[in-house]
Amino acid sequence: MAITRINIGPVHPSTHGVIRLVADIDGDTVVNLEPHIGFLHRGVEKLVETRMYMQSPPYMEKLDYVAPMSYDEAYVAAVEKAMGVEVKERAMWVRTILLELQRIASHLLWLGTMANDVGQFFTVFMWCFKDRDLILRLLEEASGARMFYVNMRIGGLIRDLPPGFDDRARETLNYMEKRIGEYEDFLEKNPIFIERMRGVGVMNRDKAIELGVTGPVLRGSGVSYDVRKDNPYYVYDKLNFEPQARSEGDCFARYKVRMLEMRESIKLVKDALSKMPGGDALGMQVRLILPSAKNREVTLSREMPRGECMMYMVADPQKPYRLSIRSPSFINLAALNEIAKGCRTADIFAIMGSLDLVMGDADR
Amino acid sequence: MSDLNTIVSTYLGVSGILAEIIGIVAYAVAVSILIVAFDYVFGWVERKTIAKIQKRHGPTYAGKYGILQNMADFVKLLSKEHVVPKRADKLLFLPTIPAMLALSVFLIFLIPLTPELIETNIGLGLLVILVLLSFMPLIIFANGFGSGNKFAAISAQRSVVMLLSYEIPLVFVIAAVGVLANGYTLSGIMSAQNHWWFVFLMPIGFFVFFIVMLAELERPPFDMREADNELIAGWLTDVSAPYYTLALFLDYTRMFLGSLLIAILFFGGWNGPVLPPVVWLLLKVFIISFFIMIVRATTVRMRIDRLLRFGWTWLLPLSLLNLILIYLLFIG
């Protein structure tokens, strides 16, 4: 049998961002699928070394442009840890709320693009973008920007939640809960969708651990590992939520995990809104940052919408000496070749969609 | 050409060969205008309908309610450069889309649109249409391989797989229609549905035929040949400006053809009270096309190997069952 080699991307309707896949196809079966990355490499890790600490958050946000606030927060948290600064009590709650809202927004964008990848003609995509806009509106109220927020400051935030945010957030979240049910009905009652997702791109538990994937991809393979639960930061240990895991390890499991996660996030935000203490959430305006001597090397991990992100920072006065990021998309992308082998040509895109890759995050 | 002849001679007062020629030309022009009008209107209706389903507005700027948007797109596409890839086999690549368009238009010419104009009503009309319709996937195959693009080549392969998966059930359903109507002339089929539309007499056959038509017309969920998220544009990947315009026309012309066939075979064609027959026929076509559109906005693309399995494990037995049931109930 002759093997056809086709180039998918970097300019292709369904490569998320800019990735080039070189697929060797035998008939309709994928023999080998090799991702080529680096089209969006901006050298952020090196760039950060030349900037002062609080000049860097805007760069960090551009890494994962689907969930910018989570990177912003992870970086600022790393700086705080290096400085040994305590985050204000209310700021922790506000950050948690904003991060969870960001997670819902990110998952909504994923849902739209994934539905497109399996051949849904833009209906779910448009609905998701419309609903994501409501979340973005909440984030705009809280931070002043819709896409790149840069609202984290050392020890807190640039501004507190505006008055009346509670009610508006609750209203939006109630609506969102209903909408997620509608999405599930729309997709899961379609036997073709189930057929496209179930049993496709199976990654079993051992393989998932071996490959080091994290986030919904790992939880879809039956490992209930969630940084928010297993290594809680901020106020996640005081909140009521369950990490969602499914054991099948196929595209449908990964899809379902994210859908359930959105519901959990809604629950979590509502819980946090009701338990939130009063007080002050503003961060400090810092002109001179001197890391404490004992914390020169800092590592911290965060559960981002795409998986576990780790920040390793070697701190110098004013500027980081070195910043290394373990980005979830990069590690999850490594699983692509493993699980795409032996699948059909059309499944490549279903698998890509279910991995939820953001190339800015993978290339850094 | 007797009827056209009489119409022309009564209205224009000419007779003989001249009347015949005028009649033929007038009919051709009228049907062509109808096809272009359908293509244009449905291009717009589809954009608007899908936009409404997706909570968008659709085209709004060009003309009232964006009615001129398709014209704008059409002019824009025509003003683009026509690029033929170097690796393309020009003999295979260039004539295929015009040929397909010509074939679709020709097939519509074969369909009698009103009972008065039955000269298009050739003896084995439905079978002729079936045979010519089966050429379409083969033309797509030729185009896909001729363009020398790998995505188009995959699309060409899929085209043949699709041909294998739905052509046989289609033949069985058409055989059942022939059994019920006692013949294959289209006007005979329509007059056989005077009391009961065939959709009520053989719902299974309609189900199979509708699915097969969706596949035949490259409509979702069976648009694997054109799968834009997978194969960029499938066999149309390397087709550029003027030819792409033709391809868009082809899309809607084929949809018109498919809806006409569904309307004639299962919904009584021109049968209906009060309104003139051609209005009934076009009304039914409109509703069926609208339904096909809604299917497009609300479904997910099937996988090609699943379609093959679906065709052989569901459509084929169902169409056979349909044929047997029809035979036992109405003939045996």
Side-chain angles (χ1 to χ4, degrees):
Chain A
M1 256 312 225
I3 285 174
T4 319
R5 171 167 287 190
I6 58 171
N7 268 301
I8 303 164
V11 186
H12 183 276
S14 70
T15 47
H16 299 245
V18 274
I19 181 174
R20 173 172 160 234
L21 301 172
V22 178
D24 291 338
I25 291 169
D26 179 0
D28 198 31
T29 312
V30 178
V31 181
N32 193 23
L33 183 67
E34 204 179 304
H36 289 228
I37 62 167
F39 293 94
L40 212 52
H41 175 65
R42 289 151 297 181
V44 169
E45 288 176 9
K46 192 72 189 166
L47 196 63
V48 166
E49 292 173 17
T50 66
R51 296 286 188 278
M52 286 196 282
Y53 280 107
M54 288 323 279
Q55 285 181 319
S56 294
Y59 292 114
M60 306 311 292
E61 295 211 325
K62 270 87 182 175
L63 288 178
D64 184 348
Y65 40 79
V66 180
M69 202 184 283
S70 48
Y71 257 108
D72 187 9
E73 186 275 328
Y75 173 76
V76 172
V79 177
E80 279 162 358
K81 200 170 173 187
M83 285 176 71
V85 174
E86 284 287 311
V87 184
K88 288 176 182 170
E89 175 71 12
R90 184 174 163 87
M92 294 210 278
W93 288 84
V94 175
R95 280 188 188 185
T96 308
I97 289 169
L98 293 181
L99 287 179
E100 287 309 310
L101 287 175
Q102 181 72 85
R103 187 185 311 278
I104 301 170
S106 167
H107 280 358
L108 278 174
L109 194 142
W110 154 80
L111 178 64
T113 48
M114 186 224 57
N116 250 21
D117 286 348
V118 293
Q120 217 295 317
F121 185 76
F122 285 101
T123 305
V124 173
F125 183 82
M126 281 295 162
W127 291 356
C128 284
F129 265 66
K130 197 129 185 161
D131 289 347
R132 178 173 169 266
D133 209 73
L134 298 174
I135 303 276
L136 292 190
R137 215 168 280 174
L138 286 180
L139 290 175
E140 186 188 3
E141 271 184 45
S143 70
R146 278 168 54 82
M147 181 128 179
F148 296 118
Y149 311 97
V150 203
N151 65 335
M152 301 291 170
R153 291 291 180 271
I154 308 275
L157 293 113
I158 188 170
R159 64 174 80 171
D160 203 341
L161 293 181
F165 184 85
D166 278 39
D167 300 334
R168 285 190 293 277
R170 256 178 239 280
E171 196 184 315
T172 308
L173 292 173
N174 286 337
Y175 171 77
M176 207 58 71
E177 212 158 17
K178 208 177 74 199
R179 289 293 291 173
I180 290 167
E182 280 177 33
Y183 294 138
E184 281 177 339
D185 282 357
F186 187 95
L187 291 170
E188 286 166 30
K189 284 185 181 167
N190 187 341
I192 304 176
F193 178 76
I194 302 286
E195 205 177 76
R196 284 296 300 270
M197 303 300 276
R198 200 159 266 168
V200 170
V202 180
M203 173 162 46
N204 59 29
R205 193 190 152 93
D206 296 340
K207 195 87 198 166
I209 294 172
E210 191 186 310
L211 287 166
V213 295
T214 45
V217 182
L218 179 66
R219 290 195 286 278
S221 295
V223 186
S224 178
Y225 171 71
D226 191 325
V227 184
R228 291 175 293 171
K229 203 76 182 175
D230 297 325
N231 189 9
Y233 48 97
Y234 294 147
V235 292
Y236 281 111
D237 48 346
K238 294 174 197 157
L239 293 168
N240 182 14
F241 77 105
E242 282 302 314
Q244 299 298 326
R246 308 259 302 187
S247 55
E248 297 93 337
D250 54 4
C251 287
F252 189 77
R254 295 192 274 276
Y255 153 82
K256 201 68 199 165
V257 163
R258 288 200 183 89
M259 294 306 273
L260 293 170
E261 243 180 53
M262 273 196 267
R263 288 177 187 280
E264 283 303 313
S265 290
I266 289 172
K267 217 164 80 186
L268 216 153
V269 174
K270 280 183 182 168
D271 198 21
L273 280 172
S274 61
K275 288 180 185 166
M276 190 161 60
D280 178 23
L282 297 186
M284 337 172 194
Q285 208 184 27
V286 183
R287 300 207 191 282
L288 180 68
I289 294 178
L290 288 172
S292 59
K294 65 176 194 299
N295 268 346
R296 192 161 177 248
E297 282 181 37
V298 179
T299 315
L300 94 172
S301 84
R302 287 286 184 261
E303 182 72 24
M304 286 196 180
R306 259 147 278 282
E308 184 181 4
C309 166
M310 282 168 122
M311 291 263 174
Y312 169 73
M313 185 192 275
V314 183
D316 265 357
Q318 288 296 32
K319 290 173 186 171
Y321 173 75
R322 172 84 173 94
L323 178 73
S324 176
I325 302 164
R326 177 219 190 268
S327 66
S329 292
F330 180 69
I331 311 284
N332 290 356
L333 178 63
L336 182 63
N337 192 8
E338 293 286 336
I339 58 181
K341 259 179 204 161
C343 75
R344 300 288 178 156
T345 315
D347 290 340
I348 296 174
F349 305 97
I351 293 171
M352 280 283 289
S354 76
L355 287 181
D356 189 15
L357 304 167
V358 167
M359 291 325 289
D361 186 18
D363 293 343
R364 295 192 295 284
Chain B
M1 289 288 149
S2 55
D3 295 86
L4 267 181
N5 242 343
T6 40
I7 292 171
V8 170
S9 49
T10 38
Y11 285 104
L12 294 179
V14 290
S15 60
I17 191 86
L18 187 64
E20 207 159 286
I21 290 169
I22 290 175
I24 292 170
V25 171
Y27 184 72
V29 169
V31 174
S32 304
I33 288 173
L34 180 68
I35 293 169
V36 171
F38 178 89
D39 291 356
Y40 191 81
V41 170
F42 253 82
W44 178 76
V45 170
E46 177 159 36
R47 282 178 149 193
K48 276 296 198 193
T49 315
I50 291 184
K52 284 284 173 278
I53 293 173
Q54 296 174 352
K55 295 187 172 183
R56 298 185 281 121
H57 291 294
T60 48
Y61 286 99
K64 192 94 176 151
Y65 306 115
I67 188 88
L68 294 178
Q69 185 63 49
N70 279 15
M71 189 66 81
D73 291 351
F74 180 69
V75 171
K76 192 207 83 176
L77 272 177
L78 284 184
S79 69
K80 296 277 177 190
E81 185 188 359
H82 182 215
V83 183
V84 181
K86 233 179 210 167
R87 56 180 186 279
D89 184 339
K90 291 181 184 52
L91 204 63
L92 276 180
F93 181 61
L94 289 178
T96 36
I97 288 175
M100 274 183 84
L101 189 58
L103 186 59
S104 322
V105 173
F106 177 65
L107 286 176
I108 294 175
F109 277 130
L110 287 185
I111 293 171
L113 295 174
T114 67
E116 291 85 38
L117 295 173
I118 52 163
E119 37 284 303
T120 54
N121 192 19
I122 54 174
L124 292 169
L126 187 54
L127 291 187
V128 173
I129 287 173
L130 170 69
V131 169
L132 291 180
L133 212 54
S134 317
F135 274 103
M136 293 239 182
L138 295 177
I139 299 179
I140 291 175
F141 179 77
N143 186 301
F145 264 97
S147 81
N149 183 310
K150 283 178 186 170
F151 289 106
I154 293 175
S155 173
Q157 292 169 359
R158 289 184 178 193
S159 182
V160 176
V161 174
M162 284 173 81
L163 185 73
L164 288 176
S165 57
Y166 63 68
E167 217 54 48
I168 299 168
L170 180 63
V171 172
F172 282 127
V173 174
I174 282 180
V177 170
V179 167
L180 266 185
N182 209 6
Y184 288 105
T185 58
L186 291 173
S187 61
I189 289 167
M190 281 188 268
S191 48
Q193 299 180 60
N194 247 334
H195 303 294
W196 287 100
W197 291 354
F198 285 173
V199 64
F200 301 122
L201 297 183
M202 46 178 199
I204 306 172
F206 169 68
F207 172 73
V208 174
F209 191 80
F210 187 74
I211 286 174
V212 169
M213 269 298 135
L214 283 181
E216 187 81 59
L217 304 175
E218 280 183 61
R219 284 271 136 186
F222 307 110
D223 59 340
M224 309 88 167
R225 278 189 290 218
E226 236 176 281
D228 53 343
N229 330 78
E230 293 158 23
L231 303 179
I232 304 180
W235 58 286
L236 294 171
T237 302
D238 273 346
V239 174
S240 60
Y243 279 67
Y244 193 71
T245 323
L246 286 185
L248 291 180
F249 259 105
L250 173 68
D251 224 26
Y252 288 105
T253 311
R254 281 195 298 171
M255 187 153 116
F256 186 39
L257 176 66
S259 309
L260 261 177
L261 282 181
I262 295 173
I264 287 173
L265 298 190
F266 292 96
F267 291 94
W270 60 53
N271 288 318
V274 191
L275 296 170
V278 66
V279 175
W280 270 112
L281 186 59
L282 291 180
L283 199 67
K284 285 167 186 170
V285 166
F286 210 77
I287 293 167
I288 292 163
S289 302
F290 198 72
F291 190 69
I292 292 176
M293 243 170 243
I294 292 174
V295 170
R296 181 184 182 197
T298 51
T299 189
V300 169
R301 184 180 305 116
M302 218 175 188
R303 230 167 60 188
I304 186 73
D305 57 314
R306 296 285 182 166
L307 175 67
L308 193 63
R309 188 183 296 175
F310 182 64
W312 285 85
T313 56
W314 284 99
L315 294 184
L316 184 63
L318 278 178
S319 59
L320 264 175
L321 175 74
N322 178 52
L323 183 60
I324 293 165
L325 279 179
I326 292 297
Y327 186 78
L328 291 179
L329 290 176
F330 295 99
I331 311 290

